[in-house]
Amino acid sequence: MEEPRRALDAAGNRVIVDPDLPARTRKTLAAGLPLYSDFSLYTEDEAPVFTSLSGIAIVLSATLGGASFWLARQSSTVWDEYIARPLLGGLGAVLTGLGAVALLGWGLVRGVPLIRPALARRAYKRLATRHRDQVVVVGELDAVCRSLGERALRSVDAVLKMSAERSAAGGAEAEARLPYALWEIGQDLQKISDLGSPSGPTDADPDEDLVQQAVAAVTARVEAIEAEAGQLAEDLRQDEELRADGRRAIAQTETDREAALRHEALLDVVARTQARQEADRPQLSIGGGDRG
């Protein structure tokens, strides 16, 4: 599978995969070619540059290290009675050794983070080559087909996610149906992309009407999935509104219950207070009391 020359983005890097492939292989291929930015701070444009520079730095560090060793050996032998030559040789050996260490460190720091993504990309390309007839790379399609492929991927992802959120049965049904529809769309887009362009920039395409009809047919399928995603989104919104209304009703019921309990408690406090007032009121004797 050839990697597109342009910088890959998240959508253009996606792959439409034959749903009959084993689940693990399908999941790996559908994720798309691993990007350097997924593993390190490098962008797709920076990674090849730093890969080359890291290799050059490591090779140069080996060369400078050998030169440093040679100069050190030469400076350890007094060639004649003059002592200036060994001193200069020793100084050169030290400076050359420091340069070798600096270059080696730079090469390792810049190069080591690139090892993992390079191995992941190599493994992915090997897997994609093995199943070349069972994948459609969206980023390699022409502009019209690429746009439709991206729309199809987004809408299928949305339907699968929202169907699973709404119900287990709906998620299972969408999982069984949509991957096959997406694969058929991907195959049609691949054929249109391969056959739809004229042989030369000035050649008129006698089958332009057929190309437009094919694009329109695929567009209709993509729009149907987008409409399904829109309907599911509306259904989820209504479900959430119903749940919100239910939560508000429960909260109102609880508020009313607490208000009723508070009202009864206040009535009880008032009744007990009034009873105590009656009990504490002094008893007045009738008839003025005893006389002597």
Side-chain angles (χ1 to χ4, degrees):
M1 182 180 64
E2 295 294 332
E3 180 180 351
R5 292 182 181 179
R6 61 177 179 75
L8 294 171
D9 56 29
N13 188 39
R14 293 284 302 279
V15 175
I16 299 175
V17 185
D18 184 350
D20 289 329
L21 282 172
R24 183 174 180 181
T25 301
R26 186 172 68 248
K27 183 178 180 181
T28 301
L29 289 172
L33 180 71
L35 304 180
Y36 285 102
S37 55
D38 294 337
F39 299 89
S40 65
L41 299 178
Y42 298 108
T43 66
E44 292 302 296
D45 295 328
E46 292 173 341
V49 175
F50 282 111
T51 301
S52 301
L53 291 179
S54 299
I56 293 171
I58 292 174
V59 171
L60 283 179
S61 68
T63 304
L64 289 177
S68 175
F69 178 77
W70 181 83
L71 287 172
R73 288 290 301 273
Q74 293 298 325
S75 64
S76 65
T77 303
V78 179
W79 293 337
D80 48 34
E81 67 273 11
Y82 298 104
I83 201 168
R85 185 176 295 176
L87 285 177
L88 290 175
L91 179 61
V94 172
L95 293 178
T96 306
L98 291 176
V101 171
L103 277 176
L104 180 62
W106 188 91
L108 291 177
V109 168
R110 289 295 188 178
V112 168
L114 296 169
I115 294 175
R116 184 184 176 191
L119 293 176
R121 289 163 73 92
R122 181 180 179 183
Y124 182 89
K125 289 179 179 180
R126 188 184 302 115
L127 184 64
T129 301
R130 186 186 312 157
H131 301 284
R132 66 172 65 87
D133 296 329
Q134 295 173 285
V135 297
V136 174
V137 182
V138 174
E140 293 179 354
L141 303 175
D142 63 30
V144 174
C145 293
R146 179 174 184 266
S147 176
L148 284 172
E150 292 171 354
R151 288 170 57 186
L153 282 168
R154 285 195 298 268
S155 57
V156 167
D157 287 345
V159 172
L160 290 175
K161 180 180 178 182
M162 289 186 291
S163 297
E165 287 179 2
R166 198 166 188 219
S167 69
E173 187 275 334
E175 188 69 35
R177 171 176 54 89
L178 287 179
Y180 287 94
L182 179 62
W183 174 236
E184 292 171 355
I185 290 172
Q187 288 180 301
D188 291 339
L189 291 175
Q190 183 73 73
K191 291 176 182 177
I192 294 171
S193 183
D194 292 342
L195 304 174
S197 300
S199 57
T202 60
D203 296 337
D205 186 1
D207 296 323
E208 180 64 25
D209 288 342
L210 292 177
V211 173
Q212 295 300 326
Q213 291 176 27
V215 171
V218 177
T219 302
R221 293 196 68 182
V222 173
E223 288 175 345
I225 300 176
E226 289 175 334
E228 183 179 353
Q231 184 60 52
L232 277 172
E234 177 63 21
D235 293 342
L236 284 174
R237 186 188 65 79
Q238 293 178 0
D239 291 345
E240 180 57 32
E241 286 185 354
L242 289 175
R243 286 192 292 269
D245 290 342
R247 289 192 295 268
R248 285 192 292 268
I250 293 173
Q252 185 62 47
T253 300
E254 183 64 20
T255 300
D256 293 343
R257 188 182 70 83
E258 292 177 354
L261 291 174
R262 180 174 178 271
H263 184 72
E264 291 178 2
L266 288 173
L267 288 177
D268 183 63
V269 170
V270 170
R272 284 188 284 109
T273 302
Q274 289 176 347
R276 291 194 185 100
Q277 287 178 343
E278 291 294 334
D280 292 342
R281 184 174 298 171
Q283 298 295 326
L284 298 178
S285 59
I286 300 175
D290 296 335
R291 295 184 180 178

